[in-house]
């Protein structure tokens, strides 16, 4: 009888790194990119949607903001649901919901149908997005985690700009005479691909024994976020009527009630004790200032390029693309810099970005100084944002990943909403007289906010 044994692995094969986690990360980030893209991709299609669906101005505003409102409703909840019912299950559920709703948006027969589909689309994104950070925390450690988080931040920076460019290209192409509809339909094949690959590549998990969903916290968190976000996204369009201020006040009151409830329940929706973990609280505060200024920057500069300088939506998106690309590259490769400077990347990057904002105001004519400022912003904010994410999450234990993920994604989204609402309202008010003056003023205010963020980043 002859015994056969498997041939020993060759040295090259034995040393070959396991690429499965990186393929998994690519799938997660593709889903994240798709969800973030839809925040801005619809902006350039507004004129066509108004004409085709005979939509009113308020309806158009809801088409844009409905996605944000739906997203905000489940932001905090998404991470906890992933921990309780499995991150793969929640990610795939979110992708499928997002994809189906994208199809419904693309086939919408009227404005009301489109608004409802956009809200549901945002809810799907809210189930999907928090799982990305949670999986990164669970599946990557050390230098690999830093690299994965750098890729995460790079996708965030590029997606918002890419949405404006892609939206302009698709609307301008008018594929098969469908006008604005490919802006949503393009998500369908991508979403199907992401869902299929996620089922194969994401690790499965089961519900934690003895843990239950905090229904009391959920019942307070959802209306609190909606009541705070809705007036921010609709306030300027509606002229800031009394209900917007009442809504924000009630939302703030519910937020306080939420904190009180979460401190008393056995299984809170968000364990606020994570804020005592080294780096988390100052990291989230610094992140909030950076995201708020970035959201205002994208909104105001895009408006100035179109309404002030007369560029088309696609031309405006392309004008901002170089800065976005530099942002993404620097946000991914920042850890190649010497380790001794890593602790200073965020404060120095925020200061550099503040200088870039000031230069944007001075170069409001769209000339050379304008583009130099955009590139300087990418060079500064890319490393700052990438290192900030790593430093804020370095000391978070795996069992707290869901709590921090919920707080992180909420900070990212609400920070952007607040930035667009505050800086956008200021810009639109001043732009009635002069778009150049409006840009200079808003960018000066955004620079001041970044300098405050630089100070917060020094508190570790």
């Amino acid at each position: 009888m002859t015994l056969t044994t498997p041939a020993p692995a060759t040295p090259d094969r034995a040393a070959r790194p396991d690429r499965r986690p990186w393929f998994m990360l690519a799938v997660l980030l593709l889903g994240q990119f798709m969800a973030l893209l839809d925040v801005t991709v619809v902006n350039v299609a507004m004129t066509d949607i108004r004409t085709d669906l005979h939509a009113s101005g308020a309806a158009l505003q809801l088409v844009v903001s409905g996605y944000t409102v739906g997203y905000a409703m489940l932001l905090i909840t998404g991470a906890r649901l992933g921990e309780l019912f499995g991150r793969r299950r929640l990610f795939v559920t979110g992708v499928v919901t997002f994809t189906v709703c994208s199809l419904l948006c693309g086939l919408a027969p009227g404005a009301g149908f489109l608004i409802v589909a956009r809200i549901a689309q945002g809810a799907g994104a809210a189930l999907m997005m928090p799982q990305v950070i949670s999986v990164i925390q669970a599946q990557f450690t050390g230098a690999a985690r830093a690299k994965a988080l750098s890729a995460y931040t790079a996708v965030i920076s590029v997606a918002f700009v890419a949405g404006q460019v892609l939206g302009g290209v698709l609307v301008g192409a008018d594929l098969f005479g469908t006008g604005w509809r490919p802006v949503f339909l393009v998500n369908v094949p991508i979403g199907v691909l992401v869902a299929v690959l996620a089922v194969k590549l994401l690790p499965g998990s089961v519900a934690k024994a003895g843990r239950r969903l905090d229904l009391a916290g959920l019942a307070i968190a959802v209306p609190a976020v909606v009541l705070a976000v809705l007036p921010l996204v609709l306030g300027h369009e509606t002229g800031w009527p009394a209900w917007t201020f009442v809504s924000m006040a009630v939302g703030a009151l519910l937020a306080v009630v939420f904190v009180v409830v979460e401190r008393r329940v056995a299984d809170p929706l968000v364990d606020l004790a994570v804020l005592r973990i080294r780096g988390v609280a100052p990291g989230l505060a610094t992140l909030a200032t950076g995201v708020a200024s970035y959201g205002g920057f994208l909104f105001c500069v895009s408006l100035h390029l179109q309404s002030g300088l007369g560029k088309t939506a696609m031309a405006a998106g392309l004008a901002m693309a170089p800065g976005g690309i530099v942002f993404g590259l620097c946000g991914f490769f920042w850890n190649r810099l010497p380790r001794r400077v890593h602790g200073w990347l965020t404060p120095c990057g925020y200061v550099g970005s503040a200088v870039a904002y000031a230069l944007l105001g001075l170069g409001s004519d769209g000339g050379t100084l304008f583009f130099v400022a955009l590139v300087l912003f990418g060079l500064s904010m890319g490393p700052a944002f990438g290192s900030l994410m790593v430093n804020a999450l370095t000391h978070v234990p795996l069992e707290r990943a869901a709590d921090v993920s919920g707080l992180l994604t909420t900070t990212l989204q609400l920070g952007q909403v607040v930035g667009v609402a505050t800086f956008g309202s200021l810009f639109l008010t001043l732009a009635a007289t002069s778009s150049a003056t409006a840009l200079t003023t808003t960018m000066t205010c955004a620079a001041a906010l970044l300098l405050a963020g630089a100070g917060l980043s020094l508190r570790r």
Side-chain angles (χ1 to χ4, degrees):
M1 181 173 63
T2 303
L3 296 176
T4 59
T5 58
T10 63
D12 288 342
R13 187 172 181 179
R16 186 179 302 165
D18 183 9
R19 298 186 181 276
R20 184 182 175 91
W22 299 105
F23 289 136
M24 175 194 68
L25 179 65
V27 173
L28 290 170
L29 294 183
L30 180 58
Q32 173 184 273
F33 183 83
M34 178 177 66
L36 290 174
L37 201 71
D38 258 51
V39 176
T40 57
V41 72
V42 71
N43 290 343
V44 299
M46 287 295 96
T47 301
D48 294 71
I49 292 175
R50 179 196 292 272
T51 302
D52 189 30
L53 301 183
H54 308 290
S56 65
L60 288 177
Q61 184 70 6
L62 285 171
V63 169
V64 175
S65 60
Y67 181 83
T68 302
V69 172
Y71 186 43
M73 286 171 58
L74 295 176
L75 268 176
I76 298 177
T77 315
R80 178 61 70 201
L81 291 175
E83 185 183 46
L84 293 177
F85 302 109
R87 298 185 183 108
R88 180 176 65 187
R89 182 179 299 170
L90 262 292
F91 182 83
V92 173
T93 300
V95 171
V96 170
T97 301
F98 181 91
T99 303
V100 171
C101 292
S102 295
L103 178 63
L104 295 176
C105 287
L107 300 177
F113 188 98
L114 180 57
I115 291 168
V116 173
R118 281 284 284 174
I119 294 173
Q121 187 189 36
L127 295 177
M128 177 202 328
M129 293 277 286
Q131 315 314 322
V132 179
I133 280 289
S134 295
V135 172
I136 289 175
Q137 287 287 95
Q139 299 297 318
F140 295 89
T141 58
R145 180 184 290 179
K147 186 176 181 180
L149 288 172
S150 296
Y152 176 86
T153 58
V155 167
I156 290 175
S157 62
V158 172
F160 290 127
V161 177
Q164 294 176 307
V165 178
L166 180 62
V169 170
L170 290 175
V171 172
D174 191 21
L175 299 173
F176 308 107
T178 53
W180 55 271
R181 297 180 185 274
V183 166
F184 298 109
L185 296 176
V186 69
N187 292 326
V188 176
I190 300 174
V192 171
L193 176 64
V194 170
V196 171
L197 292 177
V199 170
K200 294 183 177 181
L201 294 176
L202 264 65
S205 59
V206 296
K208 288 191 174 182
R211 298 297 297 271
R212 293 183 296 180
L213 182 62
D214 174 18
L215 295 177
L218 179 62
I220 299 170
V222 171
V225 173
V226 172
L227 288 171
V229 170
L230 191 61
L232 288 176
V233 297
L234 294 178
H236 186 272
E237 179 72 18
T238 57
W240 295 103
W243 73 263
T244 58
F245 298 101
V246 172
S247 178
M248 286 188 285
V250 175
L253 178 60
L254 286 177
V256 174
V257 174
F258 176 77
V259 171
V260 173
V261 170
E262 294 303 279
R263 287 180 172 177
R264 296 183 177 182
V265 297
D267 288 318
L269 194 64
V270 177
D271 186 356
L272 298 176
V274 297
L275 294 175
R276 294 196 291 267
I277 297 174
R278 180 184 171 188
V280 172
L284 290 177
T286 305
L287 179 65
T289 61
V291 173
S293 67
Y294 184 55
F297 152 74
L298 287 177
F299 184 83
C300 297
V301 172
S302 177
L303 275 181
H304 174 68
L305 288 172
Q306 295 177 69
S307 61
L309 301 182
K311 294 182 179 293
T312 64
M314 183 169 66
L318 290 172
M320 297 178 68
I325 293 171
V326 173
F327 188 155
L329 291 174
C330 292
F332 183 73
F333 291 108
W334 67 270
N335 53 3
R336 302 280 183 92
L337 295 170
R339 187 174 295 274
R340 64 180 180 274
V341 305
H342 285 185
W344 292 99
L345 289 178
T346 297
C348 292
Y350 269 39
V351 171
S353 298
V355 173
Y357 283 163
L359 293 177
L360 279 172
L362 295 175
S364 58
D365 59 351
T368 302
L369 184 59
F370 184 87
F371 289 98
V372 169
L374 290 177
V375 173
L376 174 61
F377 171 78
L379 288 171
S380 302
M381 187 56 81
F385 199 37
S387 61
L388 171 61
M389 295 288 286
V390 172
N391 291 332
L393 298 174
T394 295
H395 304 285
V396 178
L398 177 57
E399 62 271 15
R400 299 294 185 90
D403 296 300
V404 176
S405 176
L407 289 173
L408 180 69
T409 51
T410 301
T411 301
L412 283 169
Q413 187 63 23
L414 293 186
Q416 186 206 9
V417 171
V418 171
V420 171
T422 53
F423 293 113
S425 295
L426 177 61
F427 178 89
L428 290 169
T429 300
L430 298 176
T433 303
S434 169
S435 182
T437 300
L439 184 68
T440 301
T441 304
T442 51
M443 289 299 95
T444 300
C445 293
L449 181 60
L450 276 184
L451 291 177
L456 290 171
S457 70
L458 296 174
R459 299 182 60 189
R460 299 170 187 152

